[in-house]
Amino acid sequence: MFPKSTYVNRRNILKQTLKSGIILFPGNGESSMNYADNWYPFMQDSSFLYYTGIDHIPNLYFLINIDTGEEILFGNNATPEEKVWIGSAEKLESFAEKSGFSTVKPLDQVASYLKAQLAKGQQVHYLPPYRSAQKIAISELLDIPLQEVEANKSVALIQAIVAQRERKSAEELVQLEEAVNITRKMHEYAIINTKAGMTEMQMAGTLNGIAVSGGGGLAFPIILTKDGQYLHNHATTAVLSEGDLVLCDCGAYNTMGYGGDMTRTFPVGKTFSPLQKDVYNIVLNAHESAIAALKPGTRFKDIHLLASKKLVEGLTDLGLMKGDADEAVAAGAHTLFFQCGLGHMMGLDIHDMENLAEQYVGYTPELKKSTEFGLKSLRLGKELQEDFVLTVEPGLYFNPFLIDERRAQKKYMDFVNYDEVEKFKSFGGIRVEEDFVITKDGSKLLGEPLAKTPEAIEKLRNN
């Protein structure tokens, strides 16, 4: 945990912003895989963690009564019978002391407490639940019809939390650096040790071990594939062969719950083919152009469009596209090859605070999220501020199904040379991703640098 003062200060800022009412933070519970006692790895709700520091304990509620000044943790200490299975367990009162509050009550008292306060007319603020169990619990605790739980979420609480969590403190940046460096180890190992004849899952399993040995675990399921044209293609039993490109997108979270998220694309052989290198350099140029544009006051949507233009210019030089690059981007022609967003916020969540809804996290009342293909997948569009942490991850994806559909629809005919694109339907995909913190006048790479030019990657492949 951070020092006690960190959590006290965070809660004080939140209380000063909302001014009145009750703030209810449900912690996460265990989630069963295929029967009740066989659980998925536990991950605490990130807002609960942010304001309490209590991580690996399920089935808790934290409540802040702004009007009375009460801060209460509802939960149960481990019983002797439970300790048969889990061993010694630190008491909740100890965690409360470390977090800077003193009141701990049994879990079964949360309902009666809330009922009494609701009877007095107090407003209860809660965040939109992202798990069914949370949604049902809130419905029952607050006597709200299940179908109305989402509509009754507290927008004021969402906005207050986004305003706090979107700017990372110095102590958070230390944790993020650590998580990114664990992530870097995963990628460097993959680049050096991937060999023809391996399956994708063989390497992904080893990377999983590196993440766990770093003290935390996987921040998200590993994407490691020779079919990088599919954006979220997780590792399979497919065998890697000479000539394949491997797209590896993986990340680790550390002991404090902060995560890293990086992508590298590398050849299964010792070198890229000339064509692979040409396409890779188009992506790398877009990546570097986007990084150069990172600074406070610049809309990330504009940086996304800049990167898209650089991709179009490169594809035009390669003969796959034609015409004016700005017009092509305005028409959405680049989305034939770049279907997603340039990046996203990062912190305790890899897509930081995405459960609070992208219109509050990545956009503003003045800048609405687009509904257009491609742009609708841009999770962050608003102006950057100092201490934002985000990813930059342009890519080129030659998806044969999308190519066939767009050609049949006769879309982007003024900008795409479909006969040339046909030759790339078995090419795959390339992405380059790194993590940055926005500084006073630009940005800073998080973590130690990792090879990302074709030449530097080939050097690692030839170690």
Side-chain angles (χ1 to χ4, degrees):
M1 294 175 69
F2 290 122
K4 180 188 303 185
S5 59
T6 293
Y7 303 106
V8 172
N9 290 337
R10 286 174 176 177
R11 296 194 297 268
N12 284 341
I13 291 170
L14 187 62
K15 288 185 283 188
Q16 290 163 11
T17 302
L18 286 179
K19 295 184 171 57
S20 66
I22 292 172
I23 305 169
L24 179 64
F25 289 111
N28 279 336
E30 299 284 11
S31 182
S32 300
M33 286 192 277
N34 55 349
Y35 56 88
D37 290 332
N38 191 25
W39 298 323
Y40 288 103
F42 179 75
M43 182 167 281
Q44 187 60 276
D45 176 78
S46 58
S47 290
F48 182 98
L49 176 59
Y50 183 82
Y51 289 104
T52 68
I54 304 172
D55 190 356
H56 294 101
I57 304 176
N59 305 318
L60 302 174
Y61 286 88
F62 183 66
L63 182 150
I64 302 172
N65 190 328
I66 301 173
D67 302 322
T68 66
E70 293 174 291
E71 296 181 341
I72 308 171
L73 181 67
F74 292 91
N76 298 326
N77 286 309
T79 66
E81 285 192 14
E82 287 171 332
K83 290 179 182 179
V84 169
W85 302 99
I86 64 174
S88 177
E90 189 172 354
K91 286 186 173 294
L92 295 179
E93 288 80 3
S94 173
F95 287 106
E97 195 281 328
K98 292 177 184 178
S99 187
F101 61 93
S102 58
T103 305
V104 177
K105 295 186 176 184
L107 184 61
D108 62 8
Q109 291 187 19
V110 65
S112 58
Y113 182 94
L114 286 169
K115 183 178 180 180
Q117 304 310 311
L118 288 169
K120 298 175 184 177
Q122 275 194 295
Q123 180 183 4
V124 177
H125 299 274
Y126 64 86
L127 299 173
Y130 52 89
R131 291 188 175 186
S132 298
Q134 284 180 329
K135 189 173 184 179
I136 293 168
I138 288 172
S139 171
E140 293 175 348
L141 287 170
L142 303 181
D143 195 24
I144 299 172
L146 191 61
Q147 65 270 26
E148 295 178 16
V149 169
E150 171 67 24
N152 281 278
K153 66 182 181 292
S154 173
V155 173
L157 178 59
I158 290 171
Q159 292 172 329
I161 289 176
V162 170
Q164 275 189 267
R165 287 182 57 189
E166 68 183 358
R167 300 187 71 168
K168 304 302 186 283
S169 66
E171 60 189 353
E172 287 184 289
L173 290 174
V174 170
Q175 299 301 318
L176 283 159
E177 286 268 5
E178 180 180 86
V180 172
N181 278 325
I182 299 168
T183 300
R184 180 195 177 281
K185 290 179 182 178
M186 298 166 72
H187 282 276
E188 186 172 62
Y189 185 92
I191 294 170
I192 293 172
N193 293 285
T194 298
K195 293 178 175 61
M198 281 185 171
T199 66
E200 295 169 350
M201 292 184 79
Q202 280 178 278
M203 180 51 65
T206 304
L207 302 186
N208 184 11
I210 295 172
V212 173
S213 67
L218 288 179
F220 54 93
I222 292 173
I223 297 166
L224 191 148
T225 179
K226 63 180 183 178
D227 289 315
Q229 67 272 25
Y230 309 125
L231 298 178
H232 282 178
N233 202 37
H234 300 294
T236 69
T237 56
V239 177
L240 302 174
S241 304
E242 290 279 342
D244 289 337
L245 284 177
V246 174
L247 189 154
C248 179
D249 184 346
C250 64
Y253 68 88
N254 72 346
T255 55
M256 293 282 283
Y258 288 85
D261 184 5
M262 296 171 64
T263 306
R264 288 295 186 270
T265 309
F266 53 88
V268 174
K270 295 296 185 182
T271 60
F272 292 91
S273 72
L275 182 59
Q276 288 171 343
K277 187 173 289 190
D278 286 343
V279 177
Y280 188 101
N281 279 324
I282 293 171
V283 175
L284 185 60
N285 180 55
H287 180 77
E288 297 290 4
S289 298
I291 294 167
L294 294 173
K295 63 180 179 179
T298 300
R299 292 196 318 179
F300 195 68
K301 179 180 179 180
D302 293 333
I303 301 176
H304 168 87
L305 295 174
L306 169 65
S308 300
K309 178 181 177 181
K310 294 299 180 182
L311 294 174
V312 170
E313 290 173 348
L315 292 170
T316 300
D317 291 341
L318 206 58
L320 276 65
M321 295 191 73
K322 59 187 176 181
D324 182 80
D326 288 312
E327 292 178 7
V329 172
H334 65 289
T335 64
L336 182 62
F337 311 101
F338 181 41
Q339 301 92 23
C340 56
L342 180 67
H344 51 80
M345 298 280 238
M346 195 179 79
L348 284 170
D349 304 307
I350 287 302
H351 293 170
D352 207 28
M353 300 177 285
E354 191 163 310
N355 61 300
L356 306 185
E358 289 174 8
Q359 68 262 35
Y360 301 114
V361 178
Y363 291 83
T364 66
E366 296 74 34
L367 180 64
K368 304 292 185 182
K369 189 177 179 184
S370 175
T371 58
E372 296 176 10
F373 181 74
L375 274 177
K376 71 180 181 181
S377 298
L378 180 63
R379 295 177 168 90
L380 173 62
K382 66 186 181 183
E383 288 187 2
L384 302 176
Q385 297 182 47
E386 188 176 357
D387 299 324
F388 276 18
V389 170
L390 50 87
T391 68
V392 175
E393 48 180 308
L396 286 173
Y397 312 101
F398 299 90
N399 185 316
F401 305 109
L402 188 64
I403 291 167
D404 287 346
E405 181 183 71
R406 295 295 190 257
R407 187 170 197 174
Q409 294 169 336
K410 299 189 183 302
K411 293 198 73 169
Y412 317 133
M413 300 301 288
D414 291 338
F415 304 107
V416 177
N417 292 319
Y418 279 102
D419 287 342
E420 291 301 312
V421 173
E422 283 288 323
K423 302 172 186 177
F424 280 76
K425 285 167 68 175
S426 62
F427 182 91
I430 293 174
R431 176 162 66 249
V432 180
E433 178 184 17
E434 293 177 305
D435 307 321
F436 296 88
V437 57
I438 303 303
T439 61
K440 184 177 180 180
D441 54 6
S443 69
K444 175 184 176 291
L445 177 72
L446 286 175
E448 294 295 322
L450 174 65
K452 66 176 177 178
T453 66
E455 294 76 20
I457 288 171
E458 288 174 344
K459 184 176 181 181
L460 280 181
R461 291 291 297 149
N462 284 277
N463 272 356

